[in-house]
Amino acid sequence: MSAPAVPAAPAWAACDPYATALRTGRGPLFLQRADGWLLPLEVERWCAAADAVDRAVLDRCEGAVLDVGCGPGRLVAELAARGRTVLGVDVSEAAVARTVTVGGQALRRSVFEPLPGEGRWGTVLLMDGNIGIGGDVPALLRRMARLLAPGGLLIAETAPLDIEERTEVRVVTPGRDPVGEPFPWARVGTPALLRHAERPGWRAAAQWTAGGRRFVALRTRAASSSAEPPKSTAVISSQRPRNTSADCPVAER
């Protein structure tokens, strides 16, 4: 059987509005559907330091952490400052560059391409709407299961509404023409994500709301450990040389 095709990096990865927003730390920036509907992107929050809600999520992380769609790197930087083993992954060169600047390690690559440490990550993060990557939630969940260690933890931030939408969008700045081709995206609320998690391989571990944001923790079914906020410490990584190439190391576990 041939290997599944790897989705190409979406057009927004190199588009000027997105890269400029990450470099400057300012919006406004939106995802735009074909019908003109706009979803605001919280550029200022993403480019700031991790806030109290973020930090509470990170308290739940176990083992080495992979932040999928790390953006400008606030979560990677926070975990690195705590001495945790953490790697950010993003298709945007600007996102990877900013993550390194703020003190994290990051790799420019699609999550559907081969990644370091596959099958050994203790926690994978899908924050800030990244459950929508690729526009196919079941496919993304299958990929997450292959990245996690047995019994590993997936923490996903869901949409604040009970919604399940698959669409195509572009990144736009008000008053300017869209750049690049449309790319697939999904918006998924907690009920829809939990329905997808009923498929073999996952069990729901926790769900909560904080600061107007909603989260779900899922665990692969290979272990029975608790998903409550762990107190385990990971191998310190903040003293290691930073590397954003394809050979970016992952701690041995």
Side-chain angles (χ1 to χ4, degrees):
M1 181 181 295
S2 61
V6 174
W12 59 262
C15 79
D16 289 341
Y18 184 74
T20 299
L22 292 193
R23 292 190 186 106
T24 62
R26 297 190 302 275
L29 201 65
F30 298 86
L31 293 183
Q32 183 184 58
R33 290 190 316 215
D35 63 5
W37 181 87
L38 296 173
L39 175 68
L41 301 180
E42 299 183 70
V43 175
E44 288 82 1
R45 180 172 66 81
W46 298 347
C47 290
D51 61 21
V53 175
D54 294 329
R55 294 193 296 272
V57 171
L58 301 183
D59 288 344
R60 295 174 179 260
C61 291
E62 303 172 2
V65 182
L66 181 68
D67 184 6
V68 173
C70 66
R74 75 186 190 284
L75 305 179
V76 178
E78 172 66 22
L79 285 167
R82 297 183 184 193
R84 302 295 299 267
T85 299
V86 57
L87 176 68
V89 175
D90 205 291
V91 294
S92 164
E93 182 178 2
V96 169
R98 183 153 182 148
T99 299
V100 173
T101 298
V102 298
Q105 294 191 52
L107 177 66
R108 186 186 182 192
R109 195 172 299 178
S110 165
V111 69
F112 293 101
E113 295 178 298
L115 293 173
E118 295 206 11
R120 301 201 306 273
W121 294 100
T123 303
V124 174
L125 298 174
L126 286 170
M127 298 281 280
D128 303 325
N130 285 330
I131 189 65
I133 288 173
D136 187 337
V137 174
L140 186 60
L141 287 177
R142 290 192 295 271
R143 180 59 176 142
M144 298 301 98
R146 292 195 296 271
L147 292 171
L148 284 163
L153 192 64
L154 170 64
I155 300 178
E157 183 171 353
T158 58
L161 304 172
D162 183 1
I163 188 173
E164 182 168 11
E165 176 186 71
R166 297 173 64 174
T167 187
E168 288 196 337
V169 296
R170 294 184 181 189
V171 173
V172 299
T173 300
R176 298 184 182 179
D177 292 334
V179 176
E181 295 299 318
F183 57 91
W185 196 255
R187 295 175 68 218
V188 181
T190 293
L193 181 56
L194 291 175
R195 287 195 296 272
H196 287 299
E198 292 174 355
R199 302 184 183 197
W202 295 101
R203 65 179 177 87
Q207 57 179 295
W208 69 99
T209 300
R213 297 161 62 190
R214 296 184 180 182
F215 304 91
V216 172
L218 304 175
R219 192 180 293 281
T220 55
R221 292 181 180 270
S224 59
S225 57
S226 170
E228 291 307 306
K231 304 306 177 187
S232 60
T233 56
V235 178
I236 188 165
S237 63
S238 57
Q239 299 303 315
R240 297 181 184 175
R242 298 189 182 96
N243 182 353
T244 60
S245 73
D247 299 321
C248 185
V250 175
E252 293 297 326
R253 305 187 56 230

